[in-house]
């Protein structure tokens, strides 16, 4: 069974640009959550998508958005990048919205210069 | 407690030592508590999913306990090995918010 894949793995962008990250879940997993990890911080929850709808949202500005497609693949977009957006972005998938264990992708390391 | 807190932040132990870490979480609207191991250059991997007060789970040399009334969980590693070196994360799942709140993790280094 293939694991969670994220693309790209590494990304360097300039302040003010926008970026799109992609997450492909394990087959059969319909819930995709996105997290941001910065040094000294735990995994900060961005949002969760289930059946193409955003079901939950963390405390991030509107520059952070996402969507989910009918095949459960999800994308996360960050517009007007700021230096503080430099982080590791992880997606995690699970079969449904209940408290199943989450399966994490390898992450996308975003550097904003 | 409003957030998930883990202690200690980091820990160095000798190979063969036993060790334990703490995860404190909000006890109101508690639904589940997860433990993950996150090795360097890898993705976090689930160790345990715990839901019931008094739950004890074990996987090899690693075990965990859960107290939902007072809002804490302990993770124990018996006879630590260098391959146990990783960051151990706990995450609380709330029935009120239906989302996971992660602690900042305990970074364990086992010295050979």
């Amino acid at each position: 069974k293939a694991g969670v894949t994220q693309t790209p793995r590494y990304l360097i962008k300039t302040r003010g640009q926008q970026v799109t990250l992609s997450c492909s879940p394990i087959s059969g997993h319909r819930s995709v959550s996105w997290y941001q990890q910065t040094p000294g911080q735990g995994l900060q929850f961005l949002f969760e998508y289930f059946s193409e709808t955003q079901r939950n949202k963390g405390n991030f500005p509107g520059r952070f958005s996402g969507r989910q497609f009918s095949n459960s693949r999800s994308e996360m977009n960050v517009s007007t990048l700021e230096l503080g957006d430099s982080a590791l972005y992880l997606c995690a998938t699970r079969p449904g919205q209940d408290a199943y264990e989450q399966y994490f992708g390898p992450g996308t390391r975003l550097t904003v210069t | 407690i409003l957030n998930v807190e883990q202690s200690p932040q980091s820990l160095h132990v000798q190979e063969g030592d036993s060790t334990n870490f703490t995860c404190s979480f909000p006890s109101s609207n508690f639904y589940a508590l997860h433990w993950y191991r996150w090795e360097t250059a890898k993705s976090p991997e689930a160790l345990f999913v715990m839901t019931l007060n008094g739950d004890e789970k074990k996987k090899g040399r690693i075990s965990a306990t859960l107290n939902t009334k007072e809002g804490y969980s302990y993770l124990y590693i018996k006879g630590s090995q260098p391959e146990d070196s990783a960051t151990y994360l706990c995450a609380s799942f709330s029935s009120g918010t239906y989302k996971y709140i992660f602690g900042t993790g305990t970074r364990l280094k086992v010295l050979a």
Side-chain angles (χ1 to χ4, degrees), chain A residues 93-104:
Chain A
T93 78
R94 63 193 201 271
Q97 283 194 282
D98 208 342
Y100 302 100
E101 67 181 76
Q102 297 186 97
Y103 291 79
F104 284 85

Side-chain angles (χ1 to χ4, degrees), chain A residues 35 37 40-43 45 48 56-57 88 90 94 97-102 104-106, chain B residues 31-32 34 36 38 41-46 49 89 93 97-104:
Chain A
Y35 295 90
Q37 204 244 356
Q41 299 282 324
L43 293 176
F45 173 74
E48 178 192 2
N56 227 325
K57 193 177 186 319
L88 179 67
L90 289 165
R94 63 193 201 271
Q97 283 194 282
D98 208 342
Y100 302 100
E101 67 181 76
Q102 297 186 97
F104 284 85
Chain B
Y31 193 86
H34 291 203
Y36 291 86
W38 193 358
K42 294 187 177 180
S43 310
E45 286 186 354
V49 175
L89 297 171
F93 188 88
T97 61
Y98 243 70
K99 63 185 177 185
Y100 296 95
I101 304 296
F102 279 82
T104 53

Side-chain angles (χ1 to χ4, degrees), chain A residues 7 11-12 14 18 34 38 41 44 62-63 72 82 94-95 98 101-102 106 108-110:
Chain A
T7 57
L11 206 48
I12 299 175
T14 304
Q18 67 95 26
W34 288 90
T38 51
Q41 299 282 324
Q44 302 292 310
R63 300 185 296 106
S72 295
E82 300 178 359
R94 63 193 201 271
D98 208 342
E101 67 181 76
Q102 297 186 97
T108 294
R109 172 75 62 184
L110 172 65

Side-chain angles (χ1 to χ4, degrees), chain B residues 9-71:
Chain B
Q9 272 192 320
S10 66
L11 193 55
H12 286 67
V13 300
Q14 289 294 133
E15 183 176 358
D17 286 352
S18 294
T19 187
N20 64 86
F21 336 125
T22 305
C23 172
S24 300
F25 54 86
S27 53
S28 62
N29 295 320
F30 172 82
Y31 193 86
L33 192 283
H34 291 203
W35 281 99
Y36 291 86
R37 175 167 58 200
W38 193 358
E39 296 178 68
T40 303
K42 294 187 177 180
S43 310
E45 286 186 354
L47 284 171
F48 304 114
V49 175
M50 310 176 79
T51 56
L52 299 175
N53 185 46
D55 245 358
E56 289 189 33
K57 299 258 176 147
K58 188 174 181 183
K59 187 181 287 188
R61 295 178 291 98
I62 304 177
S63 60
T65 61
L66 180 67
N67 183 320
T68 61
K69 296 187 187 307
E70 295 181 43

